[in-house]
Amino acid sequence: MRLTLEFANADDAAYALAASPGFARDGICFAACGSGLYGSGDGGASWRKLRTSSELVTTAVAVSPAFAQDRSVFAAVKGGILRSSDDGETWFTAAFPAPPPVFSSLVVSPDFERDGFLLAASMEDGVFSSTDRGARWQPWNFGLFDLNVLCIALSPAWIEDETVYAGTETGLYCSTNGGRAWRHTGFPAECAPALCIVCIEEGDARETRLIVGTEQHGLMASCDNGETWDRLAAAAISGAVNQLHAGRRGDDSLMMHALVEDGIMRSDDAGKTWIKALRMDGTPTAMLPLADRILLGIGGRGLAFLPNR
């Protein structure tokens, strides 16, 4: 495992990673780090610090699903969200009123080319939305009684159902109108906080299944929109799950990855069984599974790739 970006500061870390939808072709990816935002145009072999309007800690990054056409990238720093429409060469800042929010997650609508919709999760200030491609933002917290939002995820059928989930310090919330109003799900309070979420579609009917990573109870799963929950793969994953990713192979089977305290776990059967894909001595802070490799952030060290097999 060779580092392709080495941190100068031992306290530095990668908090979030994102790649162009056409990564296999264009090799473009981004890393939100404690020392700023980095970009690569050669598949992660080399990195450069992007000239943003701020050198603050960058906590989240997201890429437009229509990146090939609009070249749009978004990054969160303390008190603002940056947007670029030229691969990160130039940036515009959407500032937020004091006290400045600390953002934990950014998501972009899969229909972004048409609706220009984004959501941003923050600690202490709840969820913000933008309907004009990140130029302006407004809080959408009606019914969201816990404003410490750690993660957000869109339904696989977002374009039809406008369903979004927010993981908080005290549990999991759901909105069925694009985040304008929220309700608490049946997520068990003793399993909170909800650190990460994936929404997957299973079976011929493409039924939605929620999988949530927790701090002390591994993975929790729900097949009824969050009303009831079961522990998932307790024998394999028992502690903190800090990030979750799901993606389909060419044969339509679902592969999942979970970032745990000592490495990466992988499931080849939609989360039913898990194996250790990587065990490491350092602290993994972020991961991004790609077609043939995984981009991995290692606390205090930098970024590296490992095979995704």
Side-chain angles (χ1 to χ4, degrees):
M1 187 169 55
R2 182 179 64 86
L3 292 175
T4 63
L5 170 66
E6 295 190 50
F7 291 141
N9 188 335
D11 294 328
D12 206 349
Y15 297 110
L17 305 165
S20 158
F23 176 82
R25 180 184 65 260
D26 61 30
I28 295 174
C29 49
F30 302 91
C33 302
S35 55
L37 181 67
Y38 295 83
S40 173
D42 57 10
S46 62
W47 297 84
R48 63 188 179 91
K49 199 170 193 178
L50 299 180
R51 297 190 300 272
T52 65
S53 62
S54 172
E55 292 300 316
L56 294 174
V57 173
T58 308
T59 54
V61 61
V63 176
S64 164
F67 183 79
Q69 291 77 41
D70 61 30
R71 317 308 287 182
S72 293
V73 187
F74 305 90
V77 297
K78 187 174 183 180
I81 294 178
L82 311 175
R83 59 188 175 93
S84 170
S85 56
D86 57 6
D87 300 4
E89 290 300 318
T90 57
W91 295 86
F92 300 90
T93 304
F96 289 70
V102 176
F103 296 100
S104 56
S105 180
L106 281 171
V107 295
V108 184
S109 163
D111 201 23
F112 182 78
E113 189 173 17
R114 182 186 63 83
D115 61 25
F117 184 80
L118 302 100
L119 285 173
S122 74
M123 300 300 297
E124 300 186 359
D125 294 286
V127 174
F128 294 85
S129 73
S130 173
T131 56
D132 58 6
R133 305 182 186 278
R136 294 182 296 265
W137 295 80
Q138 54 276 330
W140 274 5
N141 294 323
F142 181 78
L144 187 66
F145 299 117
D146 183 353
L147 299 183
N148 292 299
V149 184
L150 303 169
C151 55
I152 42 179
L154 303 181
S155 158
W158 160 264
I159 296 173
E160 292 80 29
D161 62 25
E162 290 193 323
T163 297
V164 57
Y165 302 92
T168 73
E169 290 278 3
T170 55
L172 187 75
Y173 285 79
C174 174
S175 170
T176 55
N177 59 3
R180 289 179 288 276
W182 300 87
R183 64 171 180 82
H184 198 280
T185 69
F187 190 82
E190 65 273 14
C191 294
L195 301 181
C196 51
I197 318 163
V198 293
C199 308
I200 61 176
E201 290 181 322
E202 291 187 307
D204 294 337
R206 291 295 201 220
E207 295 178 344
T208 299
R209 186 185 192 203
L210 303 178
I211 301 178
V212 171
T214 71
E215 190 170 73
Q216 296 181 343
H217 297 83
L219 297 173
M220 301 293 294
S222 172
C223 295
D224 55 10
N225 201 35
E227 295 307 310
T228 61
W229 294 83
D230 295 303
R231 184 80 178 268
L232 183 66
I237 303 177
S238 58
V241 179
N242 296 306
Q243 287 186 10
L244 280 167
H245 287 272
R248 294 197 178 274
R249 299 189 187 91
D251 61 1
D252 204 39
S253 62
L254 191 70
M255 176 185 284
M256 294 184 63
H257 292 85
L259 190 71
V260 295
E261 294 173 314
D262 63 346
I264 295 175
M265 302 291 293
R266 190 187 80 229
S267 172
D268 297 316
D269 54 11
K272 298 178 181 65
T273 60
W274 295 79
I275 61 170
K276 186 70 102 178
L278 173 71
R279 187 183 301 276
M280 56 187 298
D281 296 328
T283 302
T285 60
M287 69 170 177
L288 179 64
L290 299 162
D292 59 347
R293 66 192 91 168
I294 298 174
L295 178 58
L296 180 68
I298 307 166
R301 293 176 58 190
L303 301 176
F305 278 108
L306 63 146
N308 185 7
R309 59 175 183 268

